[in-house]
Amino acid sequence: MDETIPPPPGAAHTGASPAGAPIGKVTLQGLARELGLSTATISLALRDSPMVAEATRLKVQEAARARGYVANRGAAALRTARTNIVALGLHDIVNPSFTELLAAVEDALSEAGKTVLLGVSQEDVTRQTRTLGTLAEYRPDAFLVSPAAHSRVEDLKALASTGIAVVQVTREIEGSGFDFAGSDDVTGVALGVAHLVELGHRRIGMIGGFGAISTGRKRFAGYKAGLAAAGLPLDPALVMEGPGLRAEGRKAMARLLALDEPPTAAVCFNDLSAFGALMELQAAGLMAGRDFSLVGYDDIEEARVWHPPLTTVHTFIPEYGRAAATLALKRIADPGRPVERAVMTPELVVRASTCAPVPVKRRPL
């Protein structure tokens, strides 16, 4: 089957291509005859294969461009059973952490000759089902998925049943049997709690996160583990569940400050929650690092430029993004390989938003 496509519409009435070649369907065979090369060499050169000398590659690619040649990916996919497309399904792209993730995944897959198609569920399972279904129509070689809240194992297995490789990233459906790349969230939040305990805090709140997502469950488990390691009780009044958004972080901090006995510190589900909490502290005439201690989570770029710069937990987002891409490539090459997990160990980054405990006066809502 030839890889062919008509020349650009603007050339159809000239009788010749810009380089003077006859107008008509441009084929590998035609390029091979014109350049005195084999069709295999032409095909490899158009795919930028290192098996072809650089001078020959450039010569072939220039001739192809001049004649309006565009590869027929559908025909190629029928021959190779590969589209060189990887679909990425995220639940959110507003949070800058997912922008970092997307960039890392795209860079790694681009280096491997893959193109990324993105779909966003906005934390809506129905939308996720529709979006992933649409992406599946492009016959991707693999899916990288950060599941929306309340996703089920069946949602991912439906994709895998079509023969598409599936890798979970950042979030996971525990026990689903798919590859996973992300951060050790239990350890990460426990590090934040341990840092606050070391500073002398005994009433430590948690801002953000909820049980319908694996990151919410794991980070809350890390919060509980950190308290337990210090011999501190879990006080449900200090736990403020909610989405990891600035507005939610601000509301959660207001509720903590309104308690009869406010905490002197808090760990946050993510940096966005922490930014909202910082804003509420400022609105209350307080400053993190002087009157209250606050620890974020993720260490996105913005964390270091806030005032004060945010103490947070670095989760190695670009690293596990690249690891997710690698897992997808491995799964494409060997669908029957054992399930693999690439879990990064977080690190605490101490900046200026934490300090020794200072009594916090109640501020009514």
Side-chain angles (χ1 to χ4, degrees), residues 180-203:
F180 170 74
S183 181
D184 182 349
D185 288 333
V186 176
T187 295
V189 175
L191 282 174
V193 174
H195 170 62
L196 295 172
V197 168
E198 186 177 354
L199 289 171
H201 294 277
R202 293 298 178 265
R203 281 184 64 75

Side-chain angles (χ1 to χ4, degrees), residues 61-81:
Q61 291 167 6
E62 178 58 33
R65 277 194 297 270
R67 287 149 185 77
Y69 174 82
V70 179
N72 185 335
R73 296 299 181 193
L78 289 174
R79 291 193 301 276
T80 65

Side-chain angles (χ1 to χ4, degrees), residues 56-144:
T56 303
R57 290 203 310 271
L58 294 174
K59 177 182 176 182
V60 170
Q61 291 167 6
E62 178 58 33
R65 277 194 297 270
R67 287 149 185 77
Y69 174 82
V70 179
N72 185 335
R73 296 299 181 193
L78 289 174
R79 291 193 301 276
T80 65
R82 294 281 179 260
T83 60
N84 286 324
I85 292 171
V86 173
L88 176 59
L90 297 178
H91 64 276
D92 173 33
I93 55 171
V94 174
N95 187 332
S97 68
F98 289 99
T99 307
E100 292 184 23
L101 175 65
L102 173 59
V105 167
E106 201 281 331
D107 282 348
L109 291 174
S110 180
E111 289 172 4
K114 306 293 184 184
T115 297
V116 175
L117 295 184
L118 173 66
V120 182
S121 70
Q122 301 289 17
E123 210 70 275
D124 182 327
V125 173
T126 300
R127 179 170 173 172
Q128 174 179 264
T129 300
R130 183 176 68 250
T131 300
L132 296 183
T134 299
L135 291 174
E137 293 174 5
Y138 289 86
R139 300 177 62 234
D141 299 332
F143 265 104
L144 298 181

Side-chain angles (χ1 to χ4, degrees), residues 10-37:
H13 304 294
T14 66
S17 74
I23 288 300
K25 288 186 176 181
V26 183
T27 67
L28 293 182
Q29 288 78 2
L31 286 171
R33 284 193 299 270
E34 181 180 342
L35 298 175
L37 300 168

Side-chain angles (χ1 to χ4, degrees), residues 72-316:
N72 185 335
R73 296 299 181 193
L78 289 174
R79 291 193 301 276
T80 65
R82 294 281 179 260
T83 60
N84 286 324
I85 292 171
V86 173
L88 176 59
L90 297 178
H91 64 276
D92 173 33
I93 55 171
V94 174
N95 187 332
S97 68
F98 289 99
T99 307
E100 292 184 23
L101 175 65
L102 173 59
V105 167
E106 201 281 331
D107 282 348
L109 291 174
S110 180
E111 289 172 4
K114 306 293 184 184
T115 297
V116 175
L117 295 184
L118 173 66
V120 182
S121 70
Q122 301 289 17
E123 210 70 275
D124 182 327
V125 173
T126 300
R127 179 170 173 172
Q128 174 179 264
T129 300
R130 183 176 68 250
T131 300
L132 296 183
T134 299
L135 291 174
E137 293 174 5
Y138 289 86
R139 300 177 62 234
D141 299 332
F143 265 104
L144 298 181
V145 182
S146 180
H150 305 290
S151 293
R152 305 169 304 156
V153 173
E154 291 77 14
D155 299 325
L156 298 186
K157 288 190 173 179
L159 296 175
S161 68
T162 65
I164 301 173
V166 175
V167 176
Q168 301 176 103
V169 61
T170 301
R171 295 179 178 181
E172 64 177 323
I173 301 174
E174 295 97 329
S176 59
F178 294 107
D179 297 325
F180 170 74
S183 181
D184 182 349
D185 288 333
V186 176
T187 295
V189 175
L191 282 174
V193 174
H195 170 62
L196 295 172
V197 168
E198 186 177 354
L199 289 171
H201 294 277
R202 293 298 178 265
R203 281 184 64 75
I204 301 168
M206 180 166 186
I207 294 175
F210 53 102
I213 54 176
S214 64
T215 47
R217 293 188 291 273
K218 291 176 182 178
R219 293 176 197 182
F220 183 58
Y223 170 68
K224 292 191 294 183
L227 294 177
L232 299 176
L234 172 66
D235 183 349
L238 300 183
V239 179
M240 299 292 158
E241 289 192 351
L245 303 171
R246 286 178 171 85
E248 295 295 327
R250 183 164 186 173
K251 287 189 285 187
M253 177 55 74
R255 293 197 299 271
L256 287 176
L257 294 177
L259 294 174
D260 289 337
E261 188 181 354
T264 58
V267 292
C268 298
F269 173 74
N270 61 13
D271 288 341
L272 291 190
S273 300
F275 298 155
L278 286 171
M279 288 188 284
E280 182 59 28
L281 286 170
Q282 291 169 4
L286 303 173
M287 179 180 288
R290 184 191 68 191
D291 308 304
F292 194 94
S293 287
L294 203 62
V295 177
Y297 196 86
D298 278 335
D299 193 25
I300 62 176
E301 190 69 26
E302 192 179 343
R304 69 189 65 189
V305 299
W306 265 79
H307 179 71
L310 181 67
T311 293
T312 187
V313 177
H314 185 79
T315 57
F316 296 94

